């Protein structure tokens, strides 16, 4: 075998051609480099005995198996390896939209009996095909090719057309027949066909598609349906002559008619009666003529005897030959015969009886030879009588005179048209009596009725035989049903496929051949089509004669009469097992590829998670190392200063201010470091309040310009009536300064920093894009005209320790701090940047819900550290003894009376014992009872009690211990005396009504 080309290890011509072809110059490239999906598809293609082809790549390069090779005909093997557009130029306009839709949507296409104007030997031909296009996906799930399977159905389609034409020709023949003809189907005698003469006989009532008992109830009441039952049961024909029938033709009462009729059974190949052919002649007028003969018993006996004998013949020639001889002998004439008046203008002579005195008339002659007078008489339905052609001037111009001295010609009219004549000739002059003429007219009528009857039966039998031959010559299964869905016909293919006995699946017996899993679905679809008249189209499994179920395509179309009523269903079944097998193979292969891709993706994601965790651990290591280094430096300053204070104190020194300041500076730097770390972790205890962003930014413009230097211009564009936001003003200032410094660093050659504000009202859609709750916000945008950032850098900009600056010029915490502050404040931050086009950072902060303008704290207006304003008492609750002692001494230094408690329970006991306090200053996170729980109980005991929290935790952490409102006053730890003094003063000066309302709202929300 061939190494690496195992997918071509199949017998036949095409695997060898593909293997030997040089593919290096084609869009597919060397065969050794073909993708696995193509190899897999070709392996299926080459191994299939069904015509199969593969179109690969955007150019749809064609590859196909041996069974498919006859399809391109004279284009094989040139078509191998060529684009589909070149191979199928003649039909490309038809199949290109189908192929493109499969390629674009990854959904298959199937067509049945599709007409393709295909060229063969350079000549366009009308061809028909069953074919399908199935997408082939590569390992990434993208469509890389198309699998094509199909076979030609031109012969089947043409045979079906021929069969339909045969049926239509038979219908035309019956329609043109002069007698009243109908075909009744099945045991309920449903009228499937009725010509115009029959419809006229019954008063042009709508009878096609109805049981005869329903269509003509007066006929059933007179016992004619019982006669039909006998014919259907016994298979024996019934003939009635001169039978009186009362028909309700116009709906105004019975119309008495006298009919000659025949019920002729029609059988199938097994000899079973399926239909009854009805032929009737209204002989009411004819019998009137026969009544005139009743005076002659002999004449009457002759007529009835003749009619009875005519029924024994099965060809028109035999009937005319027998009648001519009997009538000639009866009248002692010398020549009797018939001729037909063809539509082509010819007179065709039929069987003729003669005596030696006159020669027979044979062959044809033009109608013009009859003479204008005779043609006019015949067309009007009048007999032509010649008594003495030689001596009577009028008789000499008549046609019979050309061949005999005397004679009578009787026209036969059907549907008002002259179709034939009976002629009687005499070798010498004869005075024809009125009785003679009436007698000849009667014989002509009953004879031509017999002729038309046998012609109609023969035509029906011939048409049915042609239909059977056509149906059995088609490779597909053909079946037919009544309008109600009763199956009564299958061609030989059905019995060959299923192996069931003939007629065993008539009615609803066909359901037993269906696969149990498909039976209900097929029946539901069939009933739907019967109710709506829609075409039947479904795939299901039928039991093959081998016992194995095979997939078939079932299709059926209704046949309608002139009024649109369904009179029959004709259907087919096509074996599509190989197409279904190919589809299943492709489906399983696609699922296996998808499973492999899913497993590999999971492995890659797991590896990515491990890598991310390793990077986090490395970053944490760097962070802890830096923190330890900085804290050691700060602690060295504090410890050194304290040690010097101790030494100088022991030596009696008094000026220790510089040592105290050094220790304070070290502690302050340590507090700042912890605050920056909390900012980074989004755990900074914030002090949010209503902030006018326009005023805040305007007040810090001088600071910004000094900070970023003279080489960078600062521009602003403020919203005229910008809303107030709820935020920590100090953190907001730091964030804007940080962004301005970053913008300056991104413009080494100078440029412009732009700061803008704008009101934003976000609905559900916009809020979802920003990942915030719907509502009102203020947007603060800081833009630069600098170098910008590529997408990968912008995506990581908020990551901690990520920086693009040189060593020593940035910690990588700035944007992380901003991200943490904005997130804690209920807002969002975004970066928009493009290399060479600058960067814009947008901060979105929630609008303050308390209307007006922010209050200006007194501490901002007063000079120095704020003190107590009289007799003001603070209830101080702190579980850390040293911090509680420091805070109490500081408060007393500021002029406040202080009541100390180590926990919430102790504080409540003091209040119960009558302790009076103006302000509750409490830690938030304490053992036993949280600060929030203590505050709720204390305020309930002491209405009007002011509240101030102190905490080193974040609001996120505080929420886990009971939660605080967004506007609750919080003093961040660690704090100095000045911060403590300012916070206590602000809390005592707060509006008591507003504070109470806020607490009530917070309690309701919590509840």
């Amino acid at each position: 075998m061939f190494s690496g080309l195992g997918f071509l290890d199949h017998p036949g011509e095409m695997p060898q051609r593909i293997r030997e072809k040089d593919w290096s110059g084609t869009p597919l490239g060397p065969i050794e480099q073909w993708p696995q999906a193509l190899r897999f598809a070709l392996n299926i293609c080459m191994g299939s005995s069904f015509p199969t082809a593969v179109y690969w790549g955007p150019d749809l390069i064609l590859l196909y198996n041996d069974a498919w090779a006859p399809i391109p005909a004279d284009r094989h093997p040139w078509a191998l390896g060529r684009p589909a557009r070149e191979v199928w130029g003649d039909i490309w306009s038809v199949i290109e939209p189908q192929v493109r839709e499969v390629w674009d949507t990854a959904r298959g296409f199937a067509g049945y009996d599709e007409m393709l104007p295909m060229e063969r030997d350079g000549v366009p031909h009308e061809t028909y095909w069953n074919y399908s296009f199935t997408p082939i996906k590569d390992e990434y799930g993208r469509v890389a090719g198309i699998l094509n399977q199909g076979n030609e159905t031109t012969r089947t389609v043409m045979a079906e057309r021929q069969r339909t034409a045969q049926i239509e020709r038979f219908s035309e023949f019956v329609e043109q027949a002069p007698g009243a003809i109908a075909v009744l189907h099945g045991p309920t005698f449903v009228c499937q066909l009725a010509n115009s003469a029959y419809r006229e006989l019954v008063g042009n009532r709508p009878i096609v598609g109805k049981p005869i008992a329903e269509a003509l109830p007066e006929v059933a009441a007179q016992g004619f349906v019982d006669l039909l039952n006998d014919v259907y049961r016994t298979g024996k024909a019934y003939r009635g002559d001169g039978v009186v029938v009362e028909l309700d033709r116009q709906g105004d009462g019975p119309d008495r008619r006298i009919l000659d009729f025949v019920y002729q059974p029609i059988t199938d190949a097994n000899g079973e009666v399926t239909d009854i052919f009805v032929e009737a002649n209204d002989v009411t007028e004819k019998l009137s003529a026969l009544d005139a003969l009743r005076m002659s018993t002999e004449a009457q006996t002759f007529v009835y005897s003749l009619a009875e004998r005519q029924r024994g013949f099965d060809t028109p020639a035999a009937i005319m030959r027998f009648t001519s001889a009997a009538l000639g002998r009866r009248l002692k004439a010398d020549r009797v015969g018939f001729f037909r008046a063809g539509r082509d203008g010819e007179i065709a002579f039929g069987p003729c009886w003669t005596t030696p005195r006159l020669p027979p008339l044979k062959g044809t002659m033009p109608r013009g030879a009859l003479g204008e007078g005779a043609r006019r008489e015949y067309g009007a339905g009048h007999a032509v009588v010649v008594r003495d052609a030689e001596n009577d001037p009028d008789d000499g111009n008549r046609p019979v005179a050309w061949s005999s001295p005397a004679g009578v010609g009787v026209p036969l009219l059907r549907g008002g048209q002259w179709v034939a004549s009976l002629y009687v000739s005499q070798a010498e002059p004869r005075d024809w009596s009125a009785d003679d003429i009436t007698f000849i007219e009667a014989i002509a009528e009953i004879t031509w009725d017999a002729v038309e009857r046998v012609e109609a039966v023969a035509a029906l039998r011939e048409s049915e035989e042609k239909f059977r031959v056509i149906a059995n010559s088609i490779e597909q299964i053909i079946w037919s049903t009544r309008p109600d869905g009763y199956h009564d016909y299958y061609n030989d293919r059905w019995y060959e496929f299923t192996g069931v006995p003939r007629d065993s699946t008539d009615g609803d017996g066909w359901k037993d051949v269906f696969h149990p899993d498909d039976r209900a679905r097929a029946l539901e679809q069939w009933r739907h089509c019967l109710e709506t008249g829609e075409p039947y189209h479904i795939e299901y499994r039928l039991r093959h004669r081998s016992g194995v179920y095979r997939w078939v395509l079932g299709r059926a179309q209704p046949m309608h009469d002139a009024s649109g009523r369904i009179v029959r269903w004709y259907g087919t079944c096509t074996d599509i097992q190989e197409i279904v097998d190919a589809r299943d193979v492709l489906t399983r292969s696609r699922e296996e590829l998808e499973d492999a891709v899913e497993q590999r993706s999971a492995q890659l994601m797991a590896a990515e998670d491990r890598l991310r965790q390793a990077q986090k651990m490395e970053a944490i290591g760097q962070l802890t190392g830096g923190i330890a280094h900085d804290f050691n430096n700060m602690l060295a300053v504090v410890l050194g200063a304290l040690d010097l204070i101790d030494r100088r104190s022991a030596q009696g020194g008094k000026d220790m201010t510089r040592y105290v300041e050094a220790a304070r500076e070290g502690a302050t730097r340590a507090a700042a470091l912890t605050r920056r770390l909390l900012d980074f972790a989004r755990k900074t205890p914030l002090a949010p309040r209503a902030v006018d962003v326009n005023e805040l930014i305007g007040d810090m413009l001088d600071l910004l310009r000094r900070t970023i230097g003279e080489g960078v211009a600062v521009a602003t564009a403020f919203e005229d009536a910008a809303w107030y936001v709820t935020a920590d003003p100090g953190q907001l200032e730091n964030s804007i300064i940080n962004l301005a410094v970053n913008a300056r660093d991104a413009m080494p050659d100078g440029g412009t920093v732009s700061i803008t504000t704008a009101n934003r009202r976000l609905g559900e859609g916009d809020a979802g894009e920003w990942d915030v709750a719907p509502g009102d916000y203020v947007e603060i945008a800081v833009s630069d005209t600098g170098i910008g950032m590529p997408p990968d850098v912008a995506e990581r900009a908020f990551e901690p320790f990520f920086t693009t600056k040189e060593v020593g010029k940035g910690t990588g915490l700035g944007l992380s701090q901003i991200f943490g502050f904005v997130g804690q404040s209920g807002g969002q931050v975004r970066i928009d940047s493009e290399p060479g086009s600058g960067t814009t950072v947008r901060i979105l902060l929630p609008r303050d819900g308390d209307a007006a303008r922010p209050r200006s704290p007194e501490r901002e207006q007063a000079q120095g550290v704020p003190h107590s304003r009289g007799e003001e008492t603070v209830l101080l609750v702190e579980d850390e003894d040293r911090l509680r002692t420091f805070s109490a001494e500081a408060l007393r230094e500021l002029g406040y009376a202080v009541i100390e408690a180590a926990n919430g329970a102790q504080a409540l006991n003091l209040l119960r014992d009558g302790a009076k306090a103006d302000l509750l200053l409490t830690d938030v996170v304490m053992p036993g009872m949280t600060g929030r729980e203590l505050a709720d109980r204390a305020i309930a005991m002491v209405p009007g009690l002011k509240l101030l929290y102190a905490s080193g935790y974040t609001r996120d952490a505080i929420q886990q211990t009971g939660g605080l409102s967004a506007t609750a006053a919080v003093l961040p730890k660690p704090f100095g005396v000045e911060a403590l003094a300012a916070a206590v003063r602000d809390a005592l000066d707060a509006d008591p009504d507003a504070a109470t309302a806020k607490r009530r709202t917070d309690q309701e929300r919590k509840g």
Side-chain angles (χ1 to χ4, degrees), residues 286-348:
K286 181 183 73 174
L287 291 181
S288 297
L290 291 176
D291 286 342
L293 297 176
R294 289 176 183 169
M295 293 183 300
S296 172
T297 304
E298 183 179 350
Q300 183 179 2
T301 302
F302 175 82
V303 171
Y304 284 105
S305 175
L306 180 66
E308 189 67 28
R309 294 286 301 274
Q310 286 174 344
R311 295 190 184 98
F313 299 102
D314 56 5
T315 66
I319 293 173
M320 288 187 283
R321 186 177 298 110
F322 169 77
T323 301
S324 298
L327 182 59
R329 296 187 184 98
R330 167 69 181 173
L331 295 176
K332 296 180 174 57
D334 294 308
R335 182 171 58 203
V336 178
F338 293 83
F339 65 81
R340 296 179 185 267
R343 292 188 177 183
D344 56 358
E346 290 279 314
I347 295 296

Side-chain angles (χ1 to χ4, degrees), residues 99-136:
V99 172
R100 291 303 174 194
E101 182 179 0
V102 173
W103 188 278
D104 295 340
T105 65
R107 292 194 298 267
F109 168 83
Y112 303 94
D113 293 336
E114 294 279 345
M115 199 285 283
L116 298 178
M118 192 175 293
E119 290 186 4
R120 290 177 173 171
D121 297 326
V123 179
H125 289 271
E126 182 181 9
T127 65
Y128 293 84
W129 300 83
N130 287 346
Y131 60 91
S132 66
F133 293 129
T134 304
I136 303 172

Side-chain angles (χ1 to χ4, degrees), residues 64 70 239 311 374 520 578 740 776 954:
Y64 51 91
R239 294 175 177 82
R311 295 190 184 98
E578 292 190 359
D776 294 339
T954 69

Side-chain angles (χ1 to χ4, degrees), residues 161-223:
R161 285 185 180 177
Q162 183 179 5
R163 183 187 68 83
T164 303
Q166 291 283 356
I167 294 174
E168 291 177 351
R169 282 197 294 272
F170 171 70
S171 299
E172 291 176 359
F173 173 83
V174 171
E175 184 64 27
Q176 296 170 10
I181 296 176
V183 177
L184 308 181
H185 178 72
T188 60
F189 312 113
V190 176
C191 184
Q192 283 196 320
L193 179 68
N195 67 356
S196 57
Y198 192 95
R199 295 194 298 272
E200 182 181 358
L201 176 64
V202 298
N204 290 313
R205 284 178 280 178
I207 61 175
V208 176
K210 295 182 179 180
I212 202 68
E214 176 185 344
L216 304 174
E218 73 276 16
V219 170
Q222 296 173 63

Side-chain angles (χ1 to χ4, degrees), residues 608-688:
E608 184 178 347
D609 289 341
R610 291 194 295 272
L611 176 61
R612 188 180 296 109
Q613 185 64 25
Q615 292 173 339
K616 287 181 180 178
M617 295 304 297
E618 180 181 357
I620 291 172
Q622 294 175 353
L623 173 63
T624 54
I627 293 172
H629 176 269
D630 289 349
F631 257 100
N632 284 335
N633 290 338
M634 298 167 192
L635 290 176
V637 174
V638 175
L639 292 174
L642 292 175
D643 188 44
L644 289 173
I645 291 173
D646 185 51
R647 288 176 179 271
R648 294 293 185 272
S649 177
Q651 296 173 1
K654 296 182 179 180
D655 185 10
M656 302 179 189
T657 303
R658 60 194 180 106
Y659 304 130
V660 172
E661 290 297 330
R664 181 181 290 112
E665 181 183 357
T668 301
R669 289 175 59 198
L673 177 60
T674 58
R675 185 169 287 108
R676 290 183 66 195
L677 291 172
L678 289 172
D679 288 341
F680 149 65
R682 288 190 284 173
K683 296 183 178 180
T684 302
L686 301 179

